[in-house]
Amino acid sequence: DDIPVYTPSTGRNYEETMPIGDTKSFIEDLKRQIYDFNITPKQQELIEYLIGTLDDRGFIDRPLASIADDLLFHFNIDADLAEGEEAMKILQQFEPAGIGARNLHECLTIQLDRKLENCSDEVRKARLLLERVIIQNHFDVLQHQHIEQLVKLTQASPEQVAKAIEEISSTC
């Protein structure tokens, strides 16, 4: 009936060296970030609902009209598309960058815009701008990784395009 206590052979108490895990959930962390913004109570309700609709990737893959219908039907919250769009834009300012995007294209765009906002190094900024051009204007070509075609479209060197693709791929 006794449960043996296992301790390391160093003589230290095992509990002292055991790390304490973070018990906050991802959803709780997102909801906590709401208070970092000056928003109305209705916007808070909308954002909390949007957080609840996130898929495994952190995307909102349902149309805002459908979400607005659910809000009205289940919670008696009347929100038009403009209010839903505004709530989504606020959510997309949360950490991690890209949360609340509707798809990979929008997620990458949000992440790059955030990096560009915080970048002061001109060389890095030029690389980020190339990545932004590729994602914004040539996303289909990027998905097929047609480097030669991206070189022609962006007028960048093959090395620059390859590095941009590598950076974009590591972001996903």
Side-chain angles (χ1 to χ4, degrees):
D1 291 328
D2 289 351
I3 299 173
V5 177
Y6 295 101
T7 57
S9 61
T10 59
R12 284 194 218 163
N13 185 347
Y14 181 71
E15 293 174 13
E16 289 177 16
T17 61
M18 182 181 222
I20 298 173
D22 185 10
T23 58
K24 292 188 302 185
S25 76
F26 182 65
I27 299 298
E28 289 170 343
D29 185 50
L30 288 173
K31 287 182 178 180
R32 184 190 50 73
Q33 291 181 58
I34 291 172
Y35 302 105
D36 295 339
F37 293 84
N38 185 18
I39 58 175
T40 66
K42 185 174 184 179
Q43 286 175 320
Q44 180 177 342
E45 288 178 320
L46 294 174
I47 293 168
E48 285 178 356
Y49 189 79
L50 289 174
I51 289 170
T53 67
L54 296 173
D55 68 11
D56 310 3
R57 302 166 298 169
F59 293 174
I60 296 173
D61 60 357
R62 294 180 53 214
L64 282 176
S66 172
I67 292 171
D69 289 344
D70 284 352
L71 283 166
L72 184 58
F73 183 74
H74 295 292
F75 301 103
N76 201 27
I77 298 172
D78 187 16
D80 60 27
L81 290 179
E83 290 171 315
E85 191 71 41
E86 179 64 27
M88 185 179 290
K89 292 293 180 194
I90 295 168
L91 175 59
Q92 290 174 350
Q93 295 175 46
F94 286 19
E95 291 294 331
I99 196 75
R102 288 170 265 220
N103 52 47
L104 179 60
H105 182 261
E106 187 175 43
C107 179
L108 290 170
T109 301
I110 292 167
Q111 290 175 352
L112 273 173
D113 287 347
R114 186 93 47 96
K115 287 179 184 178
L116 279 165
E117 280 176 19
N118 301 319
C119 184
S120 58
D121 177 6
E122 291 303 317
V123 173
R124 179 162 163 70
K125 188 175 261 187
R127 190 176 70 242
L128 290 171
L129 287 170
L130 175 59
E131 292 173 30
R132 181 75 161 77
V133 165
I134 290 171
I135 288 171
Q136 195 63 35
N137 302 329
H138 312 294
F139 191 69
D140 291 337
V141 179
L142 170 67
Q143 287 182 307
H144 294 97
Q145 294 196 3
H146 292 281
I147 295 176
E148 302 83 23
Q149 191 173 357
L150 285 172
V151 167
K152 288 177 189 174
L153 291 168
T154 62
Q155 298 180 351
S157 73
E159 294 80 20
Q160 290 171 318
V161 170
K163 181 67 176 169
I165 291 173
E166 181 183 322
E167 287 292 319
I168 293 167
S169 297
S170 71
T171 304
C172 299

